[in-house]
Amino acid sequence: MSDQNPQVMLETSMGTIKIELFKEKAPITVRNFLSYAKEGHYDGLIFHRVIKDFMVQGGGMNENMEIKKPKFAIKNEATNGLLNKRGTLAMARTAVVDSATCQFFINTVDNAFLDHKGKHQDHFGYCVFGQVLEGMDIVDQIRAVKTGTKNGHSDVPLQPVFITSARLIEQEA
């Protein structure tokens, strides 16, 4: 097994985003994300929530805003010291600390308010587990799309932005 961090090629309908995953800092989260990628879970889903000066979120819904059934929830590794800076990937979750499954978001700005600040659920934060290596220009194109409301969800791109595939990049040993 290589000492290198795994890398994932996220193909979208707007272009390619190359991602590095922090396996040492967020081992549970990285394993989880890679299992969804390897199973093709993300293929054909959309970025269903786009807020320009916040983040772009995807990995859980199709263009009809139907949820693709996730596996089990994972432990929140937000205590890993990584910060929700522009270009980082973090797991989306509900108000419940350990509720993340398959949905992730890419921070489009520094979002310090999402960082871990304490054990209470209001301060626990969102686990950063990766960063964009190449393709931040694509993320910026996605964040700039026009959004509206669809099937009761707000901040939905009016023209769907698809995740066509998420694949592990095989690296040289």
Side-chain angles (χ1 to χ4, degrees):
M1 185 70 189
S2 163
D3 286 343
Q4 289 179 298
N5 277 328
Q7 294 179 359
V8 169
M9 200 59 82
L10 192 66
E11 300 282 351
T12 78
S13 54
M14 294 184 89
T16 301
I17 303 166
K18 186 177 182 181
I19 297 161
E20 174 186 15
L21 303 176
F22 304 127
K23 67 180 183 184
E24 301 294 321
K25 292 276 197 175
I28 296 166
T29 309
V30 168
R31 230 180 1 260
N32 177 66
F33 182 81
L34 287 174
S35 76
Y36 280 110
K38 286 175 183 165
E39 291 166 10
H41 176 90
Y42 296 122
D43 303 3
L45 297 183
I46 61 166
F47 283 98
H48 64 272
R49 187 167 171 237
V50 172
I51 303 173
K52 185 178 193 290
D53 293 321
F54 179 30
M55 53 90 228
V56 300
Q57 180 175 334
M61 294 186 178
N62 67 20
E63 67 179 309
N64 299 317
M65 303 306 289
E66 297 161 337
I67 293 175
K68 186 167 182 179
K69 187 169 173 25
K71 297 183 278 197
F72 51 88
I74 59 169
K75 179 175 177 17
N76 187 331
E77 296 176 295
T79 58
N80 65 14
L82 298 174
L83 303 176
N84 282 275
K85 298 268 191 209
R86 173 173 158 78
T88 59
L89 269 76
M91 290 306 291
R93 62 175 176 83
T94 67
V96 177
V97 170
D98 295 328
S99 62
T101 55
C102 55
Q103 292 189 33
F104 64 93
F105 60 91
I106 302 171
N107 287 292
T108 59
V109 296
D110 293 354
N111 288 313
F113 72 97
L114 298 178
D115 296 338
H116 177 74
K117 292 178 186 59
K119 296 214 179 296
H120 188 272
Q121 78 176 34
D122 294 345
H123 303 285
F124 203 87
Y126 290 74
C127 175
V128 171
F129 68 98
Q131 70 182 0
V132 173
L133 289 179
E134 296 169 15
M136 229 15 235
D137 57 325
I138 304 302
V139 175
D140 286 335
Q141 286 176 37
I142 296 169
R143 77 186 272 217
V145 300
K146 287 194 178 353
T147 59
T149 302
K150 184 172 181 179
N151 295 1
H153 296 271
S154 53
D155 307 305
V156 180
L158 299 178
Q159 287 292 320
V161 179
F162 289 95
I163 297 170
T164 51
S165 74
R167 296 285 177 265
L168 183 65
I169 300 168
E170 297 302 324
Q171 293 167 304
E172 300 297 314

